[in-house]
Amino acid sequence: MRKKQFKAESKKLLDMMINSIYTHKEIFLRELISNASDATDKLYFKSLTDGGINADELQIRIDIDKEARTLTVSDKGIGMTAEELESNLGTIAKSDSLNFKNENKDNENIENLEVIGQFGVGFYSSFMVADRVEVISRALGSDSANKWVSEGVEGYTVEPCEKEETGTTVILHIKKSTETEDYEQYLDQYRIEDLVKKYSDYIRYPIVMEIESQVPDKENKGEWLTEVNEETLNSRVPLWRKNKNEIKPEEYNEFYKQKFYDYTDPMLVIHSKTEGQATFDALLFIPENVPMDYYSKEYEKGLQLYSNGVLIMDKCSDLLPDYFGFVRGLVDSADLTLNISREVLQHDHQLKIIAKAIDKKIKSELTKLLKNDREKYEKLFKTFGVQLKWGIYADYGMNKEGLKDLILFKSSNGGYATLKEYTERMADSQNDIYYACGESEEKIALLPQVEAVKEKGYEVLFCTDDVDEFAIQMLMEYNGKHFANIQKDEVDLSTDAEKEAMKEKNESSKELLDKMKESLGGEVSAVKFTNKLGSHAVALSAEGYVSLEMAKVLSQMPGGNEGVKAQLVLEINSEHPIVKKLEGADEETLNKYTKILYNQARLIAGLSIDNPTEFADMICEMM
Ligand code: ADP
Ligand code: MG
């Protein structure tokens, strides 16, 4: 019998498979089962029109023969004729596989074999674990069968043989284990069971295998008997394919906990069917708690990616934007009909469409939650809201439009406010969205500037997270209203007349203020009288782009942005009794008072002071 050669490109791929150092060799089983399932589908659809096939009998069988060292996968599918065996198994027919080859053509030894697992290269993957592969097939409507045999790149043979039923049987002669590679595992029933569960759990035909187990012998106490039972290994119907209203909340919760190794029920479940540019089911979960490793480098965002119930990637990171990195779940694309192989999904375009739809879906669900269950939304936001704010800031603000209505800020009105709520209740006389920054809500509420703005009847947003002000800077405005940091020098809510009066006061006190500034030796860029502090004596504000809070955040960042300093302005309440004291003080006392006021202002702003001991001494001295 003449040995035939593989087509050139097949040979290359096959060669890669045989010499593969790829760590996920186990995927070969997924590939064979998928092929069996595809072939069964084809038969099933034919039977819908032709009749004569009992769908209940359709199943996929796995047999292990430890002695012969074979692992066999058989189906009752459509089968292949001799010509089909040649053309399907002797050539890579599909353009996708060819793409794979083209993409890699400059890379002769293809070191990065990780791609194999991602591309789903199909039948040839069996050569990763087998040194001889036999395919016995009988095509539907044919009364003869054929056997295809290959031991690798040398070529293959096809010859007629006997087979009773329609369908295909693939026999793998499993390689001998080496020092570095354990192939015995593929002859172990438990291992095979696990692999089916892992990759092929939702194949819709039963995948059956004979499982041997030891049971106590009833007649001879203390003895054990070997019992063999045929078991169905896969659970077949994926939860996400079921109708939403047939699924109980507990079912979702159990599924989530089991699949994503969490102890707590998810906070939010999103189950959706999408049709259109891309057709897919998505089942997404927002956890109750921040995943343990979320802030570590080890955390990988991503969704499981299924193709018609077959797992093809465990963490497909392209499916989630970073700001939704905390979302767990899976996507199953039903797009992959029989003639589209799984590789297609790996193509950027398809994935991007799905990713975009998922992004949109999560946003719309969050919007709904915000509207319908405020309490729950706030809870969710407390846990993951920072991510959304980073999302606004990241990528040069590319995503800010989609996220700006999902973020919340603590407000001087009590509780959380959205930007929409804030702008809607703004007074007519109010031009800007006011905010202030600090360590905590409580501390910000006590800032002199906040008190003064509140007295005017305006609401203030509290920025307590490092990211808050960066997000605000990126937003620039909301609904035409600009943001104003009330700890900034240029933000002034007084009337024109008041402004004028204050200007005069500052000008007439220029000598005094300059002296005070000098005595602080370059710590501040100005000392000023203001009317922005309510009943309080002093506060710090910042001039220019960098706010107090931003300077704090930047200086704490690794790599130290030490050059980034806020230009501080020491503001003194012009109505406060302290002013009289300052005006009446001799030079030495003025220096002391200035130092005390400045240090007080720093403490109020949440900044540390250089010499606390000296500060304490000065206060005691005055007492
Ligand atoms: P893909 O499944 O992506 O098309 P494979 O390399 O897995 O690529 O399979 C190549 C082709 O061989 C399939 O498209 C199919 O036509 C045929 N084939 C493989 N396994 C079977 C099978 N069990 N029954 C019928 N045809 C099969
Ligand atoms: Mg395949």
Side-chain angles (χ1 to χ4, degrees), residues 31-32 35-36 38-39 42 75 78-80 88-89 94 120-124 137 168 170 341-343:
E31 295 298 327
L32 293 183
N35 285 350
D38 290 351
K42 286 181 195 167
D75 63 65
I78 193 138
M80 285 177 273
N88 293 342
L89 306 183
K94 268 153 296 308
V121 280
F123 173 75
Y124 290 138
S137 195
T168 303
V170 180
S341 52
R342 284 187 305 288
E343 296 91 288

Side-chain angles (χ1 to χ4, degrees), residues 13 31-40 42 73-80 84-85 87-94 96-97 119-125 135-137 167-170 338-343:
L13 188 54
E31 295 298 327
L32 293 183
I33 290 175
S34 297
N35 285 350
S37 169
D38 290 351
T40 313
K42 286 181 195 167
V73 178
S74 347
D75 63 65
K76 299 181 178 184
I78 193 138
M80 285 177 273
E84 283 166 341
L85 278 168
S87 63
N88 293 342
L89 306 183
T91 335
I92 307 170
K94 268 153 296 308
D96 303 308
S97 306
F119 279 81
V121 280
F123 173 75
Y124 290 138
S125 62
V135 182
I136 300 166
S137 195
T168 303
T169 299
V170 180
L338 296 171
N339 17 14
I340 305 176
S341 52
R342 284 187 305 288
E343 296 91 288

Side-chain angles (χ1 to χ4, degrees), residues 470-489:
F470 290 91
I472 282 177
Q473 296 279 353
M474 193 52 85
L475 281 173
M476 288 190 294
E477 49 95 32
Y478 181 88
N479 234 344
K481 303 289 181 193
H482 288 266
F483 290 91
N485 181 341
I486 59 171
Q487 289 152 290
K488 280 248 184 125
D489 182 50

Side-chain angles (χ1 to χ4, degrees), residues 1-17:
M1 192 173 33
R2 202 171 69 86
K3 214 168 227 175
K4 300 190 182 173
Q5 292 303 308
F6 287 104
K7 289 271 157 54
E9 59 268 25
S10 308
K11 204 163 160 173
K12 201 164 161 191
L13 188 54
L14 192 56
D15 196 36
M16 275 173 51
M17 289 298 175

Side-chain angles (χ1 to χ4, degrees), residues 32 230 383 527 609:
L32 293 183
E230 191 175 274
T383 315
V527 180
I609 54 183

Side-chain angles (χ1 to χ4, degrees), residues 333-347:
S333 178
D335 247 1
L336 307 180
T337 53
L338 296 171
N339 17 14
I340 305 176
S341 52
R342 284 187 305 288
E343 296 91 288
V344 173
L345 249 197
Q346 301 305 323
H347 285 268

